[in-house]
Amino acid sequence: MAQLGPYEKQIEEIGADLVFIAAEKRGHMFKPEEFLRKHPVPFPFLLDEERTVTKLYGVYHRLGTDAINIARPATFVVSRDGVIRYIYVGTSQTDRSPVEEVLEAIKNARE
């Protein structure tokens, strides 16, 4: 999430929309509402409290050495016609998609 925030203007210029989804419960251990108040993001943010979206996209992570009942970090670029054009699923909670790849995928999805 933090890695794409600085690219808000560039993403808007491309004509794309960005949505963040977190497999978190309101008021739970990581207190996502508090985090978002302190660190606002320029894009819509969905708390996937029941893990519905993360399970549908295959990134739900029930148990691992660095995660319990959350999602693997993942980036999906979905074109306006609903086709997934880019997928990156992290191998750990700190593994994120390269920003350059995401921006290129967004541009290509618009063509």
Side-chain angles (χ1 to χ4, degrees), residues 12-63:
E12 286 176 359
E13 287 171 0
I14 294 169
D17 298 314
L18 183 63
V19 177
F20 294 114
I21 301 171
E24 287 286 337
K25 291 195 180 282
R26 295 177 198 286
H28 207 251
M29 188 166 82
F30 294 107
K31 298 181 179 40
E33 313 92 317
E34 189 176 310
F35 176 83
L36 289 171
R37 271 193 298 280
K38 291 179 181 176
H39 309 281
V41 294
F43 304 105
F45 197 98
L46 168 71
L47 290 178
D48 186 16
E49 295 187 82
E50 302 305 319
R51 312 317 194 248
T52 305
V53 176
T54 54
K55 287 176 182 176
L56 284 171
Y57 276 82
V59 296
Y60 175 72
H61 196 198
R62 173 69 183 118
L63 184 61

Side-chain angles (χ1 to χ4, degrees), residues 6 9 11 16 33 36 40 49 82 85 92 98 109 111:
K9 191 168 192 80
I11 290 168
E33 313 92 317
L36 289 171
E49 295 187 82
R85 305 289 181 171
S92 71
E111 297 175 353

Side-chain angles (χ1 to χ4, degrees), residues 38-107:
K38 291 179 181 176
H39 309 281
V41 294
F43 304 105
F45 197 98
L46 168 71
L47 290 178
D48 186 16
E49 295 187 82
E50 302 305 319
R51 312 317 194 248
T52 305
V53 176
T54 54
K55 287 176 182 176
L56 284 171
Y57 276 82
V59 296
Y60 175 72
H61 196 198
R62 173 69 183 118
L63 184 61
T65 57
D66 65 345
I68 297 173
N69 196 32
I70 62 172
R72 288 179 174 83
T75 301
F76 293 86
V77 174
V78 182
S79 62
R80 298 229 185 254
D81 60 358
V83 176
I84 297 173
R85 305 289 181 171
Y86 173 86
I87 299 172
Y88 185 95
V89 179
T91 57
S92 71
Q93 290 303 306
T94 58
D95 184 12
R96 303 291 191 267
S97 56
V99 172
E100 302 79 27
E101 281 185 18
V102 175
L103 294 175
E104 188 64 28
I106 292 170
K107 289 176 191 172

